[in-house]
Amino acid sequence: MIRGRENNAIATTAGDSEQTRLDAEQAHLDAVYGRLDRMRRTTNRRLQTALRESDGTPQSYSERESYERMYTDDLTKYDAAEHNLYFGRLDLIDGEVRRIGRIGILDDDDEDTTLLLDWRAPLSRPFYLATPASPDEVAVRRHIRTRNRRVTAVNDERLDIGDVDASTRGDVVNETALIGALNAARTGEMTDIVETIQREQDLIIRSSHRGVTVVQGGPGTGKTAVALHRAAYLLYTHRESLARSGVLILGPNDDFLRYIGQVLPSLGETGVLLSTIGNIFPGVRASHDDSRRSAEVKGQVRMADVLTDAVREYEALPTEQVSIRFDGYPLIIDRALVKKARGRARSSRRPHNQARPIFIRSALDSLAQQHARRIGASVIDGSQLLSAGDVADIREEMDGDATILAALAQFWPSLSPEQVLHDLLRSPDRIRSATAGWEAGDRDALLRSPGAPAGFSVSDIPLLDELAEIIGFDIRDDEQQAQARWRRQLSEAQEALDILTGSAPQDLEDEVDPEILMAYDLIDAEQLASRQLTREHLTTAERAYGDRSWAFGHVIVDEAQEISPMGWRMIMRRIPSRWMTIIGDTAQTGDPAGSTSWSEALAPFVASRWKLHELTVNYRTPAEVMAVAARVLHAIDPNLTAPTSIRRSGVDPVFREVDRDRLVDQVTTEVAALGSGREGITAVIAPVDLIDEVAAKVAHDVRVLRVAACKGLEFDRIVVVEPAAIVAASPRGLNDLYVALTRATQQLAVVHSAPLPDALIGPRST
């Protein structure tokens, strides 16, 4: 527990006054902003020059696009840095002064002079690590608070004079700024913690480990903030490599991504791809959630074998002979011919679509031999009269025969992941064939009922990704599609030029100066089509989003305890290097297919080659609320220890028991009481079957959420409705209740009509 201290009156030297220090820092802030404004104007000029200098050729247009992207990214970074640009200063024992901010800024006149150190630079690190017990050559640490471009407060901590309270505060640093940030009202968007990073967080953010780093931490320990700041730090430290390969951050839901969306831009980074499991497969966006039972079954690793068997069902043998005609003669496709071709295709060990040309080639070889025997045999002795070259010619001609290719396609069709999964989940026969040895209940969980929502569920996305691996990609088809796309663009370009030609005066020589150049004098259809192609200039994140096979440089997975075994298989395909940061808390696992052990989740991919960090300080949840949540945690697992809350709110949680017919009215009463006259956000967390009823009654600005939708979020005040129903709704209902209780940063109310779960019974106010 922190012992509060007032640092406002501590001066750097005995002769300093508060106003003197404010004036000095304001002068420096003015210099920093002056330099930033000049950087912005210079970047704007370069951008405008790049936009003007393109001469219309594909090469120059591509260069223009590259410069435009670069300069626009710089401007975005400068704009994002405006908020609290300069926030810290270190006065070292040897007299050196280091000023720290969101981005690094050099002096205008002397670029060897640093006006502002980037918070990620090694020289900035003592700002986060130095303590009175271990000052790291720091005499004074100064916190500068600003509003817009004006310094509003300066707070100093002397670290060179010893401190009797140091042993009680442990690794907590920047105490005044930290408590101020924790007590601030929430706005609905996550803010960065660049001013208040703590020692245990900094060790993870700047970790040099190039394998899998697991960050385990209870509610409110800052796991997500650590993950985002680690992304910013890695992009700063490994800019060249990660700019090419990209960083992927996976979150639990779209609300969570919106919540964290401004953090990285505020840290000067805009090129990171944020996604959920449901959106990561190109071309498909998950439209709904499955039932818990269905999600659990689909998440199991044995689904990989089920999908393999489902694809093999399309590699069929004919049940009877297929007769077709070629060049006036009959051809027979029988079981032996298809079985031989299938054997050759399967022995290649290529994915289904990539093995398809092998199947077709083998089948055509057999059919060509069959046709050659029929038309080229000697009437006298039955010997083969056609040469090998003749047979090759026949085979080549067959390869262009649509009837023959269509007949063979029934036994080895070209497949798509969407088609296979759609066919499987809607067919009891296909499910039965692919799930030999399964229990009937598990099979039923896979079957999609006729009234099920259209599209694919979140749990389907890893299955689509698995199928994409099993099926593979037919390279020939890809090339044909690319050629067809080019021909289409070429045609459209020519049509555009024809329109321009047609719109010009027909008697051009009489009415228009012949020296005037028209569009078709400057560019032909091929150049115009090429220019259209170069317009598809995408950032690394945008290219990665559309490419399922993209290999990211680093992947961060938040709320990782919710990832199923099939989900992990999908994620690992995107990071062959296994350079990952995994963030989660196994005590908060709500998904029945999720992880309760990091070892079990990671063993299939990295064995025991991963490093664990644990966060132990709860910055979000006040001690009064955490005392209630800790009882639930003990019921989940008596061996688990709740993170230690760093502060108290001064308000105990309240429990209201009412009759069922008054439940929703009591919720609205509690919401009004909690939020009356206060800044910040109030939210209600309720069982799924009460969401609509509660949402219809509470104020429009109050969020009403099920537990799964509040993962990773936080609110000033929380009303939890019917804890018993939350617990009963899932085999991991206690985990869900633990999550719900720990979303509050200030106050908690519990409203119920059913008896409380045993885990919540204890001293409480009524």
Side-chain angles (χ1 to χ4, degrees):
M1 185 61 59
I2 292 180
R3 295 184 180 178
R5 295 183 303 167
E6 288 295 332
N7 297 310
N8 291 358
I10 300 178
T12 304
T13 64
D16 278 345
S17 68
E18 179 71 12
Q19 190 59 48
T20 299
R21 289 184 296 142
L22 286 170
D23 291 343
E25 296 304 349
Q26 182 65 57
H28 188 76
L29 183 64
D30 291 342
V32 169
Y33 270 114
R35 173 63 174 140
L36 181 67
D37 289 340
R38 288 189 290 276
M39 291 165 63
R40 185 185 282 110
R41 287 195 296 270
T42 300
T43 302
N44 258 319
R45 283 197 302 271
R46 290 172 177 171
L47 173 59
Q48 296 307 316
T49 300
L51 294 177
R52 286 195 306 269
E53 289 184 350
S54 172
D55 60 11
T57 64
Q59 181 178 359
S60 70
Y61 194 89
S62 180
E63 291 175 355
R64 184 184 107 167
E65 287 276 326
S66 297
Y67 283 122
E68 184 176 2
R69 178 73 66 179
M70 178 178 67
Y71 294 140
T72 301
D73 285 348
D74 283 345
L75 290 172
T76 301
K77 177 175 69 175
Y78 301 153
D79 290 342
E82 282 274 355
H83 169 68
N84 212 6
L85 174 61
Y86 168 35
F87 59 80
R89 169 175 150 169
L90 295 173
D91 291 2
L92 304 191
I93 293 173
D94 64 5
E96 179 186 353
V97 174
R98 300 175 187 170
R99 292 181 168 90
I100 300 161
R102 295 178 177 278
I103 60 174
I105 296 180
L106 299 177
D107 188 88
D108 242 351
D109 301 321
D110 180 7
E111 293 203 349
D112 291 330
T113 300
T114 301
L115 288 175
L116 208 59
L117 274 172
D118 192 296
W119 68 274
R120 296 165 289 189
L123 290 177
S124 299
R125 199 171 190 190
F127 186 78
Y128 302 108
L129 298 185
T131 65
S134 179
D136 196 15
E137 303 301 317
V138 177
V140 178
R141 174 170 47 223
R142 174 169 290 181
H143 309 278
I144 297 97
R145 299 181 189 177
T146 61
R147 178 173 297 168
N148 298 321
R149 298 191 174 199
R150 183 171 63 86
V151 175
T152 60
V154 172
N155 307 105
D156 285 350
E157 291 177 273
R158 296 205 66 95
L159 305 181
D160 60 345
I161 59 175
D163 191 330
V164 295
D165 289 337
S167 61
T168 67
R169 289 191 301 277
D171 286 338
V172 174
V173 297
N174 300 1
E175 179 182 326
T176 302
L178 174 62
I179 295 301
L182 297 179
N183 286 329
R186 270 45 189 173
T187 64
E189 290 184 347
M190 186 178 184
T191 56
D192 61 69
I193 59 168
V194 66
E195 304 162 62
T196 58
I197 294 170
Q198 298 301 299
R199 177 185 290 271
E200 66 173 6
Q201 298 170 329
D202 187 83
L203 293 174
I204 299 167
I205 291 169
R206 300 176 194 256
S207 171
S208 61
H209 183 56
R210 291 299 292 255
V212 175
T213 297
V214 176
V215 183
Q216 163 74 35
T221 52
K223 300 184 297 296
T224 298
V226 166
L228 296 172
H229 288 69
R230 177 158 173 75
Y233 173 77
L234 293 176
L235 284 163
Y236 174 85
T237 308
H238 306 277
R239 175 74 63 190
E240 186 174 346
S241 62
L242 291 182
R244 293 193 304 269
S245 56
V247 173
L248 169 66
I249 298 180
L250 285 171
N253 52 59
D254 289 334
D255 280 346
F256 174 82
L257 295 185
R258 284 190 289 271
Y259 175 62
I260 69 172
Q262 293 304 309
V263 174
L264 283 167
S266 76
L267 299 174
E269 300 298 343
T270 59
V272 176
L273 176 60
L274 276 67
S275 181
T276 65
I277 288 290
N279 296 336
I280 199 172
F281 188 85
V284 177
R285 188 178 182 87
S287 59
H288 61 280
D289 290 316
D290 280 319
S291 68
R292 288 181 181 270
R293 180 62 179 144
S294 180
E296 180 180 11
V297 172
K298 289 179 179 179
Q300 295 168 352
V301 73
R302 60 178 175 167
M303 283 300 301
D305 292 332
V306 170
L307 298 174
T308 299
D309 290 343
V311 170
R312 288 201 161 213
E313 284 287 312
Y314 293 89
E315 301 166 1
L317 296 175
T319 56
E320 57 185 26
Q321 291 184 347
V322 176
S323 179
I324 55 178
R325 298 191 71 80
F326 173 72
D327 201 20
Y329 292 89
L331 286 176
I332 301 298
I333 301 175
D334 58 15
R335 188 178 184 88
L337 182 148
V338 174
K339 187 174 183 180
K340 177 183 177 182
R342 186 177 73 171
R344 288 186 177 177
R346 285 181 173 176
S347 65
S348 72
R349 298 189 178 278
R350 295 182 182 181
H352 174 92
N353 281 3
Q354 293 181 12
R356 187 173 182 270
I358 299 173
F359 172 85
I360 297 294
R361 185 164 58 247
S362 175
L364 290 178
D365 285 342
S366 296
L367 289 174
Q369 291 288 349
Q370 181 188 133
H371 186 64
R373 286 193 299 271
R374 185 180 299 277
I375 68 171
S378 169
V379 176
I380 299 174
D381 59 9
S383 62
Q384 180 70 35
L385 299 180
L386 297 181
S387 67
D390 294 329
V391 176
D393 289 341
I394 293 172
R395 186 206 169 285
E396 185 176 354
E397 188 175 350
M398 286 182 172
D399 196 20
D401 190 298
T403 302
I404 294 176
L405 295 179
L408 293 175
Q410 7 177 2
F411 308 112
W412 198 292
S414 180
L415 300 175
S416 71
E418 295 90 336
Q419 170 195 348
V420 175
L421 190 59
H422 181 278
D423 292 348
L424 173 66
L425 298 182
R426 284 168 173 76
S427 170
D429 292 339
R430 287 183 182 272
I431 291 175
R432 190 179 306 107
S433 176
T435 57
W438 279 34
E439 296 179 357
D442 290 349
R443 287 195 183 113
D444 293 342
L446 285 182
L447 183 63
R448 183 170 295 175
S449 63
F456 293 103
S457 70
V458 173
S459 306
D460 290 334
I461 302 303
L463 306 188
L464 290 172
D465 201 71
E466 189 78 26
L467 282 167
E469 289 292 303
I470 298 168
I471 292 169
F473 299 96
D474 189 329
I475 302 303
R476 185 178 64 176
D477 286 350
D478 284 350
E479 291 175 351
Q480 290 174 347
Q481 290 173 8
Q483 291 170 3
R485 185 164 56 249
W486 168 248
R487 288 194 298 270
R488 184 171 61 252
Q489 288 174 319
L490 194 61
S491 175
E492 291 171 353
Q494 184 61 59
E495 183 179 351
L497 289 175
D498 290 343
I499 292 172
L500 288 174
T501 303
S503 65
Q506 297 303 308
D507 50 351
L508 183 65
E509 293 184 0
D510 296 332
E511 297 190 15
V512 179
D513 186 342
E515 295 300 318
I516 296 177
L517 297 178
M518 306 298 290
Y520 42 79
D521 294 316
L522 299 174
I523 189 169
D524 60 20
E526 187 168 350
Q527 289 175 316
L528 184 56
S530 297
R531 179 166 175 171
Q532 288 177 309
L533 288 177
T534 60
R535 284 184 180 274
E536 298 176 7
H537 182 85
L538 304 176
T539 65
T540 297
E542 290 166 339
R543 293 198 307 274
Y545 183 72
D547 185 352
R548 194 195 68 84
S549 62
W550 189 275
F552 287 92
H554 192 81
V555 170
I556 294 174
V557 186
D558 206 340
E559 298 293 338
Q561 73 277 358
E562 304 297 333
I563 305 297
S564 70
M566 290 301 293
W568 281 117
R569 289 171 67 92
M570 177 173 68
I571 292 168
M572 292 298 178
R573 291 189 191 104
R574 284 151 176 79
I575 184 71
S577 69
R578 301 294 191 261
W579 189 19
M580 308 176 68
T581 304
I582 294 171
I583 312 292
D585 178 16
T586 51
Q588 297 185 61
T589 305
D591 194 316
S595 306
T596 57
S597 163
W598 297 122
S599 295
E600 291 179 6
L602 298 175
F605 310 102
V606 294
S608 59
R609 301 184 304 276
W610 52 278
K611 188 173 183 179
L612 177 67
H613 292 267
E614 293 193 66
L615 296 173
T616 59
V617 178
N618 189 331
Y619 302 99
R620 175 206 301 149
T621 317
E624 296 89 343
V625 174
M626 202 62 213
V628 174
R631 296 200 290 266
V632 178
L633 181 64
H634 183 79
I636 294 171
D637 185 344
N639 296 315
L640 296 176
T641 302
T644 302
S645 293
I646 201 170
R647 64 194 174 91
R648 303 185 68 86
S649 66
V651 182
D652 290 328
V654 297
F655 291 73
R656 310 293 191 195
E657 183 173 6
V658 296
D659 294 336
R660 175 60 184 87
D661 58 356
R662 294 183 52 238
L663 182 69
V664 176
D665 289 338
Q666 186 63 44
V667 171
T668 60
T669 299
E670 292 301 324
V671 166
L674 289 176
S676 178
R678 297 181 178 92
E679 293 183 349
I681 300 174
T682 302
V684 177
I685 302 176
V688 173
D689 59 354
L690 287 175
I691 292 290
D692 291 341
E693 187 179 355
V694 173
K697 284 290 191 77
V698 299
H700 70 278
D701 59 341
V702 174
R703 299 285 302 277
V704 181
L705 304 167
R706 57 193 177 97
V707 175
C710 71
K711 292 275 186 178
L713 305 181
E714 62 182 16
F715 307 93
D716 297 88
R717 298 164 292 276
I718 289 291
V719 178
V720 176
V721 183
E722 289 290 26
I726 292 175
V727 172
S730 167
R732 292 180 176 168
L734 282 174
N735 302 64
D736 287 341
L737 181 57
Y738 183 58
V739 170
L741 295 170
T742 53
R743 299 306 95 193
T745 67
Q746 299 295 339
Q747 294 175 264
L748 168 69
V750 177
V751 179
H752 64 104
S753 60
L756 290 173
D758 291 343
L760 275 182
I761 295 176
R764 57 187 184 274
S765 62
T766 57

